Amino acid sequence: MTAFSDLMEYQRETEALGQIAGRLGWDQETMMPPGAAEQRAEEMAAIEGVLHARRTDPRVGEWIDRAEAPDPAGRRAVALIARAYGRNACIPARLAAEIARLTSMAQGIWAEARAKNDVAHFLPTLERVVALKREAGQALAAGGFGGGDVYDALLDDYEPGATGAGIAEIFGRMRPRLVALREALLGARHAPEPLAHRFGKDGQLALARDLATAFGYDWTRGRLDLAVHPFSSGSGNDARITTRVSETDPFNCFYSTIHEVGHAAYELGIDQAYLLTPLGAGVSMGVHESQSRIYENQLGRSRAFTGWLFGRMGETFGDFGVPDADAFYGTVNRVQPGYIRTEADEVHYNLHIMMRFDLERRLMSGVLAVADLEDAWNTRFAADFGVRVDRPANGMLQDVHWSVGLFGYFPTYALGNVYAGCLNKALRAAVPDIDAALARGDAAPATDWLRENLQRHGGLYTPAEVVERACGFTPDEGPLLDYLETKFRAIYRL
């Protein structure tokens, strides 16, 4: 045995335990009886304690120092283990367990508050979550992560190498063109009609399964369930997805499903040689979101694919009030300043992310108090979207992320859109007949290209490297903005 083989064998067990912890989280969101919440919190804290102890075991540091990897993949694996070892060593075991315990409980408290539109019910818990995550960010910053900045230290966990300042610059370049496009579309003389029909739950879920199949979801290694907030969970050979149903808005179900299939397809598409190693998962949340967003939007909301979906909806629901496939394409892509991020059109979506990014940076810096968050949210939302939040479930209680401590996660959604814009440009150049397949409900030419050029690499390259290798150029926001302007000006006849 060598230091490298000892390290990789030990890491394999740690990765397997991490998958078990993830399965507990999946169960909590989909199957767990509500009365088990307190026990589950203790279970999550216990397994986090075991994982933290393994991840900070002094032997790991010794193996890293002595490891001689046989190839580039091995060297990258050692580098990723070393990075994780350094981050975990900054966090006291007590703090890691307490965060796991509290965020497990907080999910249920958030869901109750959201259902009751009762911000006061959630605020004490959120204050504790923010305090603990700020403490973790301070510990990481003191250890040299994030360049010493608390928010950047947390962001670095989801998008290695990214900084708040760098993201703010990207958002600063995106906002003027997005706002100008939004204003032009909302002022257009022609606008697509919304759906005005009810769509049964069983029909929606049956069609959601068909959509997942169309995008290549491997049902032998996954499953579809319902959740309050749709998500994907797992990696390797077990990547599960969830969706939700509204009888007046089937697109919520359909496009949440396609979005989560994008996440799961990334995990399932990684080279099996990397299974249960640091390379066996998506390299960053920004790259992960590039897959979910390109599946959902550039492919799933394209004229070609919506033409196929129009036919399938007619077969499933009968006449639902939309006259033809062209009108349906407009309805799918209708632009309106709605409250809910996950239901937002492509033009407004990034504005939602920019708002959350600014608010959570202020929370982590201490400039914004949790007690003032609702007022700050509502004021900013009215300024950005021109409408006032009507109830908390449509405002600061709509997203699960802060309840589970995912501070630094939100900007990766917008980075994912930027990466998706670049990947779409490269994909369409490489596979020029893609629309003919999409019009048949066959996304395989697109998903095969994404698997071969990006997904299979897992964590082998850095986020920017893997996107640049796939695209053949350095990623920036230009292709995304060009795509949005071309697509929506055509739909709105501008």
Side-chain angles (χ1 to χ4, degrees):
M1 298 291 282
T2 66
F4 176 77
S5 61
D6 287 342
L7 176 63
M8 296 308 295
E9 181 179 337
Y10 184 88
Q11 184 67 25
R12 185 178 183 84
E13 293 180 358
T14 303
E15 297 282 347
L17 287 169
Q19 290 296 312
I20 293 171
R23 212 80 69 241
L24 284 175
W26 169 85
D27 175 78
Q28 180 171 340
E29 290 289 308
T30 57
M31 301 288 184
M32 186 188 80
E38 290 190 17
Q39 178 176 319
R40 180 55 49 86
E42 293 302 319
E43 293 165 356
M44 295 294 279
I47 197 166
E48 179 58 34
V50 172
L51 283 165
H52 189 270
R54 290 186 64 87
R55 290 165 177 161
T56 58
D57 190 313
R59 291 177 297 171
V60 174
E62 295 170 5
W63 286 326
I64 290 169
D65 289 341
R66 295 189 289 110
E68 295 183 5
D71 52 29
R75 288 192 289 275
R76 173 65 172 164
V78 172
L80 290 173
I81 295 171
R83 180 179 181 277
Y85 180 73
R87 287 185 66 86
N88 283 293
C90 293
I91 307 296
R94 165 205 58 82
L95 179 58
E98 183 58 25
I99 289 173
R101 180 183 294 108
L102 177 60
T103 53
S104 177
M105 286 291 295
Q107 283 179 275
I109 295 168
W110 161 78
E112 291 173 2
R114 183 177 181 271
K116 298 175 181 177
N117 280 294
D118 185 357
V119 172
H121 182 67
F122 180 52
L123 283 184
T125 301
L126 182 59
E127 283 200 67
R128 292 171 59 203
V129 172
V130 168
L132 289 178
K133 292 302 294 186
R134 188 183 292 137
E135 183 181 351
Q138 290 167 344
L140 289 164
F145 291 93
D149 180 86
V150 172
Y151 183 78
D152 286 359
L154 297 173
L155 169 63
D156 190 59
D157 198 32
Y158 306 109
E159 195 66 20
T163 66
I167 289 171
E169 287 183 11
I170 294 172
F171 288 175
R173 295 193 299 268
M174 292 174 66
R175 180 183 287 276
R177 287 179 66 178
L178 288 172
V179 170
L181 178 59
R182 187 264 302 273
E183 295 306 310
L185 298 175
L186 295 181
R189 297 182 65 180
H190 168 78
E193 294 294 325
L195 289 176
H197 197 75
R198 297 193 72 84
F199 302 83
K201 175 181 177 181
D202 290 345
Q204 286 193 43
L205 290 177
L207 187 45
R209 291 185 65 87
D210 289 346
L211 288 167
T213 300
F215 278 88
Y217 188 50
D218 184 350
W219 292 104
T220 69
R221 298 188 289 162
R223 54 180 289 140
L224 174 66
D225 294 278
L226 293 172
V228 174
H229 189 109
F231 68 98
S232 175
S233 174
S235 65
N237 290 320
D238 188 344
R240 308 177 186 194
I241 60 173
T242 62
T243 192
R244 62 186 175 197
V245 172
S246 165
E247 291 198 349
T248 59
D249 182 12
F251 298 152
N252 194 325
C253 175
F254 300 155
Y255 287 99
S256 291
T257 300
I258 296 172
H259 180 101
E260 301 307 336
V261 166
H263 282 303
Y266 185 7
E267 295 293 336
L268 295 172
I270 295 171
D271 192 322
Q272 286 283 297
Y274 302 153
L275 185 66
L276 295 179
T277 77
L279 307 185
V283 68
S284 76
M285 288 315 304
V287 178
H288 240 299
E289 289 299 330
S290 77
Q291 301 308 283
S292 61
R293 295 296 284 176
I294 195 172
Y295 275 49
E296 175 188 357
N297 294 323
Q298 283 92 342
L299 302 177
R301 296 183 196 270
S302 67
R303 173 60 182 84
F305 191 77
T306 58
W308 176 82
L309 179 58
F310 175 71
R312 291 291 290 112
M313 283 189 67
E315 294 169 7
T316 304
F317 302 108
D319 183 0
F320 58 95
V322 179
D324 55 42
D326 284 330
F328 182 74
Y329 172 55
T331 296
V332 168
N333 290 286
R334 186 167 176 262
V335 173
Q336 56 183 337
Y339 298 112
I340 305 299
R341 173 188 62 84
T342 56
E343 300 169 10
D345 58 76
E346 292 180 77
V347 176
H348 280 100
Y349 187 90
N350 289 302
L351 297 176
H352 283 268
I353 300 306
M354 292 172 189
M355 183 184 83
R356 287 156 175 76
F357 168 67
D358 290 341
L359 290 174
E360 69 177 19
R361 284 183 86 192
R362 293 171 62 199
L363 280 171
M364 283 299 110
S365 69
V367 171
L368 175 62
V370 172
D372 298 325
L373 177 58
E374 184 180 20
D375 284 343
W377 178 294
N378 292 348
T379 300
R380 175 66 180 269
F381 191 88
D384 281 8
F385 296 90
V387 293
R388 295 193 176 278
V389 174
D390 60 347
R391 61 185 186 273
N394 283 339
M396 66 162 279
L397 292 181
Q398 68 179 266
D399 289 308
V400 70
H401 301 64
W402 290 338
S403 72
V404 294
L406 298 181
F407 291 92
Y409 189 112
F410 274 121
T412 67
Y413 285 116
L415 287 176
N417 282 335
V418 168
Y419 292 154
C422 297
L423 290 166
N424 181 59
K425 180 179 178 179
L427 165 62
R428 290 185 174 276
V431 190
D433 59 348
I434 186 175
D435 283 334
L438 290 171
R440 300 190 300 271
D442 178 14
T447 56
D448 287 350
W449 186 91
L450 290 166
R451 185 179 306 111
E452 174 62 24
N453 289 277
L454 186 144
Q455 293 170 3
R456 69 183 177 90
H457 298 304
L460 183 60
Y461 304 107
T462 68
E465 285 173 346
V466 75
V467 176
E468 183 168 350
R469 286 175 65 93
C471 294
F473 57 86
T474 302
D476 63 46
E477 68 281 358
L480 171 67
L481 297 172
D482 292 344
Y483 152 79
L484 292 174
E485 289 170 350
T486 300
K487 173 179 179 176
F488 285 95
R489 286 185 174 277
I491 291 173
Y492 278 74
R493 303 176 187 173
L494 294 175

